[in-house]
Tab-separated table of all heavy atoms in Angstrom:
chain	number	residue	atom	x	y	z
A	442	ARG	N	120.992	107.671	80.968
A	442	ARG	CA	121.626	107.916	82.270
A	442	ARG	C	120.691	107.589	83.427
A	442	ARG	O	121.140	107.219	84.508
A	442	ARG	CB	122.109	109.372	82.339
A	442	ARG	CG	123.289	109.636	81.408
A	442	ARG	CD	123.937	110.964	81.726
A	442	ARG	NE	123.056	112.078	81.417
A	442	ARG	CZ	122.966	112.644	80.210
A	442	ARG	NH1	123.681	112.165	79.204
A	442	ARG	NH2	122.175	113.672	80.014
A	443	LYS	N	119.391	107.737	83.208
A	443	LYS	CA	118.435	107.376	84.253
A	443	LYS	C	118.538	105.885	84.571
A	443	LYS	O	118.502	105.478	85.728
A	443	LYS	CB	117.011	107.713	83.810
A	443	LYS	CG	115.965	107.410	84.872
A	443	LYS	CD	114.550	107.484	84.338
A	443	LYS	CE	114.172	108.885	83.972
A	443	LYS	NZ	112.740	108.984	83.580
A	444	ARG	N	118.680	105.077	83.529
A	444	ARG	CA	118.826	103.625	83.750
A	444	ARG	C	120.129	103.318	84.486
A	444	ARG	O	120.177	102.440	85.350
A	444	ARG	CB	118.769	102.888	82.410
A	444	ARG	CG	117.401	102.955	81.741
A	444	ARG	CD	117.327	102.026	80.549
A	444	ARG	NE	118.155	102.474	79.441
A	444	ARG	CZ	117.740	103.264	78.476
A	444	ARG	NH1	116.504	103.732	78.480
A	444	ARG	NH2	118.551	103.622	77.488
A	445	GLN	N	121.176	104.036	84.134
A	445	GLN	CA	122.457	103.830	84.817
A	445	GLN	C	122.359	104.246	86.284
A	445	GLN	O	122.951	103.609	87.159
A	445	GLN	CB	123.544	104.639	84.115
A	445	GLN	CG	123.847	104.159	82.698
A	445	GLN	CD	124.765	105.106	81.943
A	445	GLN	OE1	124.970	106.254	82.350
A	445	GLN	NE2	125.305	104.638	80.823
A	446	LEU	N	121.603	105.298	86.556
A	446	LEU	CA	121.426	105.769	87.922
A	446	LEU	C	120.701	104.729	88.766
A	446	LEU	O	120.992	104.555	89.949
A	446	LEU	CB	120.650	107.084	87.922
A	446	LEU	CG	120.678	107.904	89.210
A	446	LEU	CD1	122.103	108.305	89.553
A	446	LEU	CD2	119.806	109.153	89.059
A	447	THR	N	119.765	104.016	88.161
A	447	THR	CA	119.048	102.954	88.877
A	447	THR	C	120.024	101.895	89.372
A	447	THR	O	119.933	101.435	90.525
A	447	THR	CB	117.998	102.309	87.950
A	447	THR	OG1	117.044	103.312	87.564
A	447	THR	CG2	117.270	101.176	88.660
A	448	LYS	N	120.977	101.515	88.535
A	448	LYS	CA	121.972	100.521	88.942
A	448	LYS	C	122.838	101.060	90.080
A	448	LYS	O	123.187	100.326	91.008
A	448	LYS	CB	122.844	100.141	87.747
A	448	LYS	CG	122.080	99.415	86.640
A	448	LYS	CD	123.000	99.074	85.476
A	448	LYS	CE	122.232	98.353	84.375
A	448	LYS	NZ	123.120	98.049	83.213
A	449	ARG	N	123.150	102.350	90.013
A	449	ARG	CA	123.968	102.954	91.065
A	449	ARG	C	123.242	102.873	92.408
A	449	ARG	O	123.848	102.549	93.436
A	449	ARG	CB	124.262	104.405	90.709
A	449	ARG	CG	124.859	105.202	91.876
A	449	ARG	CD	125.051	106.666	91.539
A	449	ARG	NE	125.348	107.452	92.728
A	449	ARG	CZ	125.652	108.738	92.711
A	449	ARG	NH1	125.721	109.381	91.566
A	449	ARG	NH2	125.890	109.387	93.831
A	450	TYR	N	121.954	103.151	92.391
A	450	TYR	CA	121.208	103.151	93.644
A	450	TYR	C	120.973	101.737	94.170
A	450	TYR	O	120.870	101.521	95.372
A	450	TYR	CB	119.896	103.905	93.473
A	450	TYR	CG	120.084	105.406	93.522
A	450	TYR	CD1	119.574	106.231	92.529
A	450	TYR	CD2	120.799	105.991	94.565
A	450	TYR	CE1	119.759	107.609	92.577
A	450	TYR	CE2	120.990	107.359	94.624
A	450	TYR	CZ	120.476	108.162	93.632
A	450	TYR	OH	120.670	109.529	93.678
A	451	GLU	N	120.889	100.772	93.278
A	451	GLU	CA	120.784	99.384	93.735
A	451	GLU	C	122.047	98.996	94.496
A	451	GLU	O	121.979	98.343	95.545
A	451	GLU	CB	120.559	98.457	92.539
A	451	GLU	CG	119.156	98.536	91.960
A	451	GLU	CD	118.969	97.632	90.765
A	451	GLU	OE1	119.978	97.055	90.292
A	451	GLU	OE2	117.830	97.488	90.296
A	452	GLN	N	123.198	99.407	93.983
A	452	GLN	CA	124.454	99.133	94.671
A	452	GLN	C	124.510	99.884	96.000
A	452	GLN	O	124.948	99.344	97.028
A	452	GLN	CB	125.636	99.544	93.786
A	452	GLN	CG	127.006	99.362	94.428
A	452	GLN	CD	127.307	97.918	94.803
A	452	GLN	OE1	126.837	96.990	94.130
A	452	GLN	NE2	128.064	97.717	95.872
A	453	LYS	N	124.030	101.123	95.985
A	453	LYS	CA	124.006	101.931	97.201
A	453	LYS	C	123.125	101.280	98.264
A	453	LYS	O	123.457	101.283	99.459
A	453	LYS	CB	123.485	103.332	96.870
A	453	LYS	CG	123.731	104.375	97.943
A	453	LYS	CD	123.342	105.755	97.425
A	453	LYS	CE	123.657	106.833	98.451
A	453	LYS	NZ	123.298	108.192	97.952
A	454	ALA	N	122.010	100.702	97.847
A	454	ALA	CA	121.112	100.027	98.787
A	454	ALA	C	121.796	98.813	99.400
A	454	ALA	O	121.707	98.582	100.614
A	454	ALA	CB	119.830	99.612	98.074
A	455	ARG	N	122.468	98.046	98.559
A	455	ARG	CA	123.151	96.846	99.075
A	455	ARG	C	124.217	97.220	100.103
A	455	ARG	O	124.386	96.540	101.117
A	455	ARG	CB	123.760	96.062	97.912
A	455	ARG	CG	122.722	95.315	97.066
A	455	ARG	CD	123.387	94.346	96.102
A	455	ARG	NE	124.083	95.053	95.036
A	455	ARG	CZ	123.530	95.372	93.881
A	455	ARG	NH1	122.261	95.077	93.646
A	455	ARG	NH2	124.220	96.003	92.945
A	456	GLU	N	124.938	98.304	99.818
A	456	GLU	CA	125.974	98.744	100.756
A	456	GLU	C	125.364	99.192	102.078
A	456	GLU	O	125.898	98.891	103.156
A	456	GLU	CB	126.773	99.887	100.127
A	456	GLU	CG	127.617	99.460	98.938
A	456	GLU	CD	128.241	100.632	98.202
A	456	GLU	OE1	127.944	101.794	98.596
A	456	GLU	OE2	129.002	100.413	97.240
A	457	ALA	N	124.238	99.899	102.015
A	457	ALA	CA	123.589	100.363	103.242
A	457	ALA	C	123.007	99.199	104.029
A	457	ALA	O	123.077	99.167	105.262
A	457	ALA	CB	122.488	101.367	102.895
A	458	ILE	N	122.451	98.213	103.330
A	458	ILE	CA	121.870	97.047	104.002
A	458	ILE	C	122.957	96.235	104.686
A	458	ILE	O	122.758	95.694	105.783
A	458	ILE	CB	121.082	96.199	102.978
A	458	ILE	CG1	119.786	96.932	102.602
A	458	ILE	CG2	120.779	94.810	103.535
A	458	ILE	CD1	119.062	96.337	101.422
A	459	ALA	N	124.134	96.176	104.071
A	459	ALA	CA	125.247	95.432	104.672
A	459	ALA	C	125.691	96.041	105.994
A	459	ALA	O	126.263	95.346	106.845
A	459	ALA	CB	126.419	95.382	103.699
A	460	LEU	N	125.419	97.319	106.174
A	460	LEU	CA	125.831	98.005	107.401
A	460	LEU	C	124.770	97.971	108.494
A	460	LEU	O	125.007	98.435	109.608
A	460	LEU	CB	126.175	99.469	107.081
A	460	LEU	CG	127.363	99.697	106.142
A	460	LEU	CD1	127.513	101.176	105.828
A	460	LEU	CD2	128.648	99.147	106.742
Side-chain angles (χ1 to χ4, degrees):
R442 290 193 293 274
K443 182 191 292 186
R444 293 190 291 269
Q445 294 171 345
L446 195 61
T447 298
K448 294 180 180 178
R449 168 184 168 175
Y450 281 129
E451 286 179 352
Q452 177 61 31
K453 195 172 183 179
R455 286 191 289 269
E456 292 172 356
I458 288 169
L460 296 175

